[in-house]
C-alpha cells in the first residue's frame, strides 16, 4: 500500500497567525493532496520560533488548532502542525498536533527537549513521553526540532512501533548540515521513513535555509524542498519498509539493557 505524505515548507510571517493560515491553505491547494494524505507543517507554523508565550499561545480561542482541524476536513487529509499552548506552570508547551480528515485530534505531542542553547527551556516546559498514532497502515511518531539530536527518543519511538517519524522544525541555516545528516541517520538506524519539515526565510534574528526532506528507511533522500517556500511530496511504501526490516533485521539486535525505559 502506498500513502502520500506532503511537507509544506513555509516562510513564516513573524507572530501573525492569520497570514500564516492563509499561506498554508494556498500551498496546500497548489499541492493537490490525495485523500487521506499526511500533510506536515513546520514547528510553530503560525508564529515562528518566538519566546513570547503570552503573545503567541493558543489561549481559549485556539485559532491555529481550529484552523488545522478545519483544513483537515476541507481537504480530506491528516494534518500535523506545530503550535503553542500552556503548561500547568504557565510556561509554554511547544506542541505537534495532528488532526484526521474528520477534524478530530489524533495526537498531541509536547516537545521533550526544549532548546536550552536559545533559552527555550526558560519559556517552555519539557514534554514527558513519546507517542505514536496510526495513519494509512503506518505507525507515526511526531518529534520537534531539537529532539532530532537525541537518538534515544527515536529508539523509544521505534520500540513503540514507529515506522514514520515527522520532525517539524525551525532549524537555522548555520546548522543546515547537522539537519541533513541527522535526518538521514535517524532513518537509517531506525529503518523508518523520516519526514523533516523546516521553515524557510527569516525571523528577526536568524535565516532558515529550508531543506525539508523526505528520507526512506535506507537513508536515501526521496524528496528535497530546497531553500524556497513550497511543497514536496512522496508516496511511502509500507511493504517496502517491512521487507527491508526483514531483509536486514538490525532492530532485532537492540540491547534491552542499553535502552532507556519506556
Amino acid at each position: 500500500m502506498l500513502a502520500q505524505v506532503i511537507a509544506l515548507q513555509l516562510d513564516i510571517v513573524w507572530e501573525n497567525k492569520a497570514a500564516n493560515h492563509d499561506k498554508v491553505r494556498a500551498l496546500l491547494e497548489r499541492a493537490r493532496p490525495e485523500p487521506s494524505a499526511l500533510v506536515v507543517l513546520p514547528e510553530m507554523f503560525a508564529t515562528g520560533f518566538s519566546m513570547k508565550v503570552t503573545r503567541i499561545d493558543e489561549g481559549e480561542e485556539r485559532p491555529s488548532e481550529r484552523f488545522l482541524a478545519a483544513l483537515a476536513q476541507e481537504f480530506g487529509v491528516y494534518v500535523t502542525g506545530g503550535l503553542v499552548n500552556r503548561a500547568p506552570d504557565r510556561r509554554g508547551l511547544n506542541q505537534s498536533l495532528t488532526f484526521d480528515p474528520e477534524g478530530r485530534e489524533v495526537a498531541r505531542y509536547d516537545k521533550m527537549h526544549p532548546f536550552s542553547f536559545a533559552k527555550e527551556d526558560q519559556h517552555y516546559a519539557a514534554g514527558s513521553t513519546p507517542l505514536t498514532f496510526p495513519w494509512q497502515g503506518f505507525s507515526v511518531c511526531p518529534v520537534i526540532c531539537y529532539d532530532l539530536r537525541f537518538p534515544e527518543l527515536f529508539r523509544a519511538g521505534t520500540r513503540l512501533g514507529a515506522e514514520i517519524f515527522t520532525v517539524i522544525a525551525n532549524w537555522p541555516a548555520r546548522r543546515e548540515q547537522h539537519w541533513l545528516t541527522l535526518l538521514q541517520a535517524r532513518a537509517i538506524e531506525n529503518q523508518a521513513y523520516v519526514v523533516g519539515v523546516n521553515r524557510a526565510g527569516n525571523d528577526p534574528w536568524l535565516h532558515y535555509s529550508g531543506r525539508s526532506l523526505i528520507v526512506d528507511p535506507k537513508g536515501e533522500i526521496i524528496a528535497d524542498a530546497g531553500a524556497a517556500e513550497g511543497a514536496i511530496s512522496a508516496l511511502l511504501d509500507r511493504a517496502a519498509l517491512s521487507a527491508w526490516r526483514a531483509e536486514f533485521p538490525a532492530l532485532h539486535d537492540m540491547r534491552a539493557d542499553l535502552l532507556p525505559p519506556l
Side-chain angles (χ1 to χ4, degrees):
M1 177 179 178
L2 302 180
Q4 184 189 41
V5 65
I6 297 175
L8 298 185
Q9 181 165 287
L10 189 64
D11 184 352
I12 298 171
V13 182
W14 186 247
E15 296 180 351
N16 188 330
K17 293 181 182 181
N20 291 309
H21 295 173
D22 289 344
K23 275 177 169 267
V24 167
R25 177 172 277 104
L27 285 171
L28 188 53
E29 285 176 349
R30 291 197 292 272
R32 301 175 64 86
E34 297 179 0
S36 293
L38 176 61
V39 178
V40 189
L41 315 180
E43 175 186 26
M44 296 192 195
F45 81 93
T47 61
F49 188 62
S50 172
M51 298 299 104
K52 297 173 183 175
V53 174
T54 58
R55 181 179 297 180
I56 69 167
D57 80 296
E58 285 291 278
E60 293 183 0
E61 296 298 317
R62 299 185 179 267
S64 293
E65 288 193 27
R66 290 189 290 106
F67 168 74
L68 292 178
L71 194 74
Q73 283 187 293
E74 178 183 346
F75 288 90
V77 297
Y78 289 76
V79 178
T80 294
L83 44 75
V84 174
N85 278 298
R86 291 294 190 99
D89 66 4
R90 304 304 295 165
R91 284 186 294 171
L93 287 170
N94 185 344
Q95 296 183 321
S96 173
L97 268 69
T98 302
F99 294 87
D100 72 9
E102 302 300 318
R104 298 172 298 201
E105 180 184 318
V106 297
R108 182 182 295 258
Y109 166 74
D110 300 332
K111 186 177 184 180
M112 292 185 67
H113 299 91
F115 188 33
S116 59
F117 183 79
K119 298 182 170 56
E120 184 185 4
D121 59 325
Q122 297 180 19
H123 302 276
Y124 291 86
S128 60
T129 185
L131 59 84
T132 61
F133 65 89
W135 169 70
Q136 298 272 65
F138 288 95
S139 179
V140 183
C141 180
V143 300
I144 302 175
C145 204
Y146 190 48
D147 284 337
L148 181 60
R149 292 185 179 273
F150 298 90
E152 63 273 17
L153 172 56
F154 286 73
R155 194 61 103 197
T158 298
R159 292 172 70 200
L160 290 172
E163 298 160 315
I164 301 170
F165 291 92
T166 57
V167 186
I168 63 174
N170 276 218
W171 195 287
R174 64 180 64 170
R175 291 184 289 276
E176 178 186 291
Q177 190 57 49
H178 294 188
W179 165 255
L180 301 174
T181 301
L182 291 170
L183 289 172
Q184 290 181 276
R186 299 293 89 89
I188 292 167
E189 66 198 10
N190 294 291
Q191 297 182 299
Y193 286 102
V194 174
V195 183
V197 186
N198 195 22
R199 68 156 295 173
N202 300 284
D203 69 17
W205 298 277
L206 293 169
H207 174 62
Y208 299 86
S209 57
R211 299 301 304 277
S212 297
L213 299 182
I214 302 171
V215 185
D216 78 7
K218 296 182 180 181
E220 298 294 328
I221 295 171
I222 52 178
D224 184 336
E229 181 174 83
I232 53 173
S233 68
L235 295 176
L236 308 190
D237 186 339
R238 191 173 185 279
L241 179 148
S242 296
W244 172 236
R245 286 183 171 184
E247 177 187 345
F248 190 74
L251 296 178
H252 291 294
D253 293 330
M254 289 189 290
R255 287 274 300 266
D257 57 321
L258 298 178
L259 298 172
L262 291 173

